[in-house]
Amino acid sequence: MSGFIPVRVTDIRQVTPVIREVSLQSLGTALPKFSAGSHIQVLLPNGKRNAYSLLSDPLDTRHYRIAVRHQENSRGGSRYVHEQLQVGDELRIAPPANLFPLHNEAHLHILLAAGIGITPFMPYCTELLRRGAPFELHYAYRNCISDAYVAQLRDLLGERLHCYDSPQRRLDLKHVLSNRPLGSHVYACGPQRLLDDLHQQAASLGWSDSRIHSEAFSAAQSGQPFSVQLLRSRQQLNVSADQSLLEALEAAGVEVPNLCRGGVCGQCQTGYLQGDVEHRDHFLSPDEKAASLMPCVSRGCGQPLLLDL
Amino acid sequence: MSTTTKQLPTSVPRYYSGEPSQLATHHLMVSQGRGCTEQARICASLNSSAVPMTHLSLSDYPSSAELQRAMLSILREATVGLRIYLLGNEDFIWPLHALARVAGLQPEEIQVIPSASCGHAIYCVHCSTTQHGALDSPHTCTECGVVLEVRQHFSRRLGAYLGVCADARQPYAQARS
């Protein structure tokens, strides 16, 4: 993995009661430009390392901005950002990577955001406005809780913005997807339930899969502690309840390539020879799960794990 | 030399059966001719599916250009859910495929069903003419007379396999002994 970039926190803004926006400035040279939909990994001083979508203008190389929702079942990442992170703190980030890019062939971009799922669409809107490309944003949120950037988006987008203030007004996927011109593509970011509903509704209206692009909220969840043995480096590691296997490997100095840290990109696929796995990823096929696991989200259970590392 | 489907280079198109898509909300069939058995079968199965079907046939238009215009005006008004079925020679269906892609259809929403009868289209890279012939033997260009080796290199833009001079020592027709 390419080198980490040292950054300083230059601003922290409470956007809603549960969402904080953090601005980061490079300590060295300019930050890399990125493509809309990119995320960065943030290495927090407490050892947690999470991926967050970039909010800022893709061409802004002075600052990156991310927004973090306070998770009730936080393993320490979002809680740290909300309770301990201060302006002036120095952090390290990984360079941007994009698992949710714009589809350049589309004639009409239909963006669906739920709650904090608005984040990748902030640079989408900047970029699509710059290109003059036809698009619309459908944004479902809870008023005064997860309604980040609504006023700003209303000014920026005018009639392109469609708001669904839950539970008064529900996002009607059938209405959004019906009678759309041939070059339409839909992009969704939100909880898994929204993505499942989208796939089901789109299929029933004749949308093929290649028109549907989605990004799940994906992060490791806690579980039971377990232990693993590493075959090649002859180590034994204990993984605590609120630590992911990937974090435990990194703490022991075992680098595994990774991008999303949420079980979707497939980068950290690791073989195992023995043991029982609680698979929590959205990447591996049932066949692959017999010999591989995704250490960013999946955990050992039952018989101890022996990893091919 | 025998080649299985697995060994074909990625530029060589694979063709499928022409079964109507179960997801479609509308079918559009565009055919070069009328009446061949394969076409009749697909037409019948599209007609019997639960969603509407439109059929354009080259025989109803004065030229390919007029047929393409008619297809484009349908695609301009069409909505997501349309599936399109292109039947005819490879040099008839692939330019239509390109138009459908530009109009916003995804590759899996387009079925190309070549007619088996008239061989494959071969494009002579020396005189830029497209002609029909077999893929497995040298082909003498009907226009410039060069003996062409037909490469396993298919141009989707032209709807033809590229034919290149088979013997570099005999680059012209008149040099053949």
Side-chain angles (χ1 to χ4, degrees):
Chain A
M1 160 156 242
S2 42
F4 294 107
I5 304 169
V7 293
R8 178 181 291 123
V9 176
T10 54
D11 194 19
I12 295 180
R13 208 157 64 85
Q14 196 75 37
V15 186
T16 79
V18 298
I19 297 172
R20 266 193 159 190
E21 182 191 286
V22 179
S23 298
L24 305 168
Q25 187 179 38
S26 173
L27 292 177
T29 52
L31 296 165
K33 289 177 191 167
F34 60 93
S35 51
S38 295
H39 68 269
I40 52 169
Q41 289 183 14
V42 179
L43 285 74
L44 293 167
N46 68 354
K48 294 292 177 230
R49 182 164 153 185
N50 289 343
Y52 298 105
S53 294
L54 288 168
L55 294 177
S56 35
D57 182 338
L59 298 185
D60 182 356
T61 57
R62 291 169 305 137
H63 292 98
Y64 284 163
R65 283 184 294 125
I66 57 171
V68 181
R69 189 191 206 282
H70 195 293
Q71 304 291 348
E72 278 107 42
N73 51 358
S74 170
R75 295 175 313 114
S78 81
R79 192 185 306 133
Y80 187 93
V81 170
H82 277 261
E83 293 172 5
Q84 284 175 272
L85 193 68
Q86 302 287 332
V87 170
D89 284 358
E90 291 184 7
L91 304 170
R92 286 188 306 153
I93 60 172
N98 199 342
L99 299 170
F100 190 46
L102 275 166
H103 196 85
N104 291 324
E105 281 181 353
H107 303 177
L108 170 65
H109 305 266
I110 301 170
L111 319 180
L112 306 179
I116 191 67
I118 192 64
T119 50
F121 295 129
M122 300 299 286
Y124 263 56
C125 291
T126 310
E127 179 65 24
L128 291 168
L129 285 172
R130 182 153 42 223
R131 290 185 193 179
F135 73 100
E136 51 194 63
L137 171 62
H138 297 261
Y139 183 14
Y141 52 80
R142 283 180 189 275
N143 206 13
C144 299
I145 299 173
S146 58
D147 55 349
Y149 308 113
V150 168
Q152 179 185 337
L153 287 166
R154 199 167 274 137
D155 286 346
L156 199 64
L157 304 183
E159 288 183 351
R160 290 192 184 93
L161 177 68
H162 304 262
C163 292
Y164 306 87
D165 176 3
S166 172
Q168 284 88 340
R169 186 175 177 222
R170 282 183 57 80
L171 171 59
D172 180 351
L173 288 172
K174 186 175 181 187
H175 181 73
V176 171
L177 297 173
S178 291
N179 296 316
R180 292 308 197 145
L182 275 191
S184 305
H185 282 246
V186 62
Y187 306 77
C189 184
Q192 192 61 40
R193 180 145 167 240
L194 170 75
L195 309 185
D196 293 344
D197 287 353
L198 169 64
H199 277 274
Q200 196 188 354
Q201 192 59 254
S204 75
L205 292 167
W207 288 59
S208 53
D209 280 345
S210 60
R211 297 180 178 277
I212 306 167
H213 315 280
S214 62
E215 186 163 74
F217 293 153
S218 51
Q221 303 289 321
S222 355
Q224 297 299 314
F226 61 99
S227 69
V228 284
Q229 281 202 317
L230 310 187
L231 177 72
R232 283 182 271 159
S233 61
R234 296 172 188 277
Q235 292 188 69
Q236 164 119 18
L237 305 179
N238 293 312
V239 184
S240 65
D242 65 354
Q243 191 179 33
S244 72
L245 173 53
L246 181 61
E247 287 164 351
L249 290 166
E250 286 166 347
V254 182
E255 274 292 327
V256 179
N258 64 90
L259 281 177
C260 75
R261 302 178 82 84
V264 291
C265 78
Q267 285 285 310
C268 69
Q269 182 173 350
T270 301
Y272 67 96
L273 297 98
Q274 286 171 23
D276 294 324
V277 182
E278 184 190 345
H279 292 282
R280 296 176 169 186
D281 65 280
H282 297 279
F283 179 80
L284 295 172
S285 69
D287 285 351
E288 290 172 317
K289 285 178 180 169
S292 284
L293 64 89
M294 310 304 294
C296 60
V297 289
S298 297
R299 306 182 70 83
C301 61
Q303 292 298 312
L305 276 177
L306 177 60
L307 296 184
D308 185 18
L309 281 174
Chain B
M1 193 176 73
S2 73
T3 30
T4 64
T5 313
K6 262 198 171 150
Q7 292 165 318
L8 286 174
T10 50
S11 83
V12 175
R14 279 90 170 146
Y15 296 111
Y16 300 97
S17 63
E19 291 305 314
S21 159
Q22 300 299 312
L23 284 177
T25 54
H26 194 139
H27 302 295
L28 172 62
M29 175 170 166
V30 185
S31 65
Q32 188 169 20
R34 276 190 189 278
C36 82
T37 49
E38 177 69 357
Q39 186 177 318
R41 183 185 70 77
I42 292 164
C43 204
S45 72
L46 290 178
N47 268 325
S48 68
S49 93
V51 299
M53 197 271 265
T54 308
H55 183 189
L56 302 180
S57 172
L58 180 60
S59 55
D60 296 331
Y61 293 87
S63 65
S64 290
E66 286 298 324
L67 172 72
Q68 293 184 355
R69 260 193 281 280
M71 184 181 97
L72 280 178
S73 75
I74 290 176
L75 296 183
R76 261 195 297 277
E77 300 303 315
T79 55
V80 175
L82 178 77
R83 295 296 184 278
I84 185 168
Y85 307 81
L86 306 173
L87 287 86
N89 296 338
E90 285 174 320
D91 52 333
F92 171 80
I93 58 184
W94 283 101
L96 294 177
H97 187 279
L99 287 178
R101 293 282 291 121
V102 171
L105 279 162
Q106 294 295 296
E108 68 262 43
E109 295 166 349
I110 308 168
Q111 285 203 34
V112 280
I113 305 138
S115 39
S117 51
C118 44
H120 294 276
I122 297 164
Y123 177 82
C124 173
V125 302
H126 306 285
C127 70
S128 306
T129 48
T130 299
Q131 46 214 282
H132 292 97
L135 297 182
D136 50 3
S137 56
H139 175 86
T140 304
C141 176
T142 54
E143 186 70 20
C144 69
V146 171
V147 178
L148 303 172
E149 180 196 325
V150 184
R151 300 270 176 91
Q152 289 224 323
H153 182 168
F154 187 80
S155 161
R156 280 164 168 70
R157 183 175 66 83
L158 301 165
Y161 288 82
L162 299 188
V164 180
C165 178
D167 182 353
R169 290 165 301 180
Q170 293 193 351
Y172 306 111
Q174 57 268 39
R176 286 208 314 275
S177 55

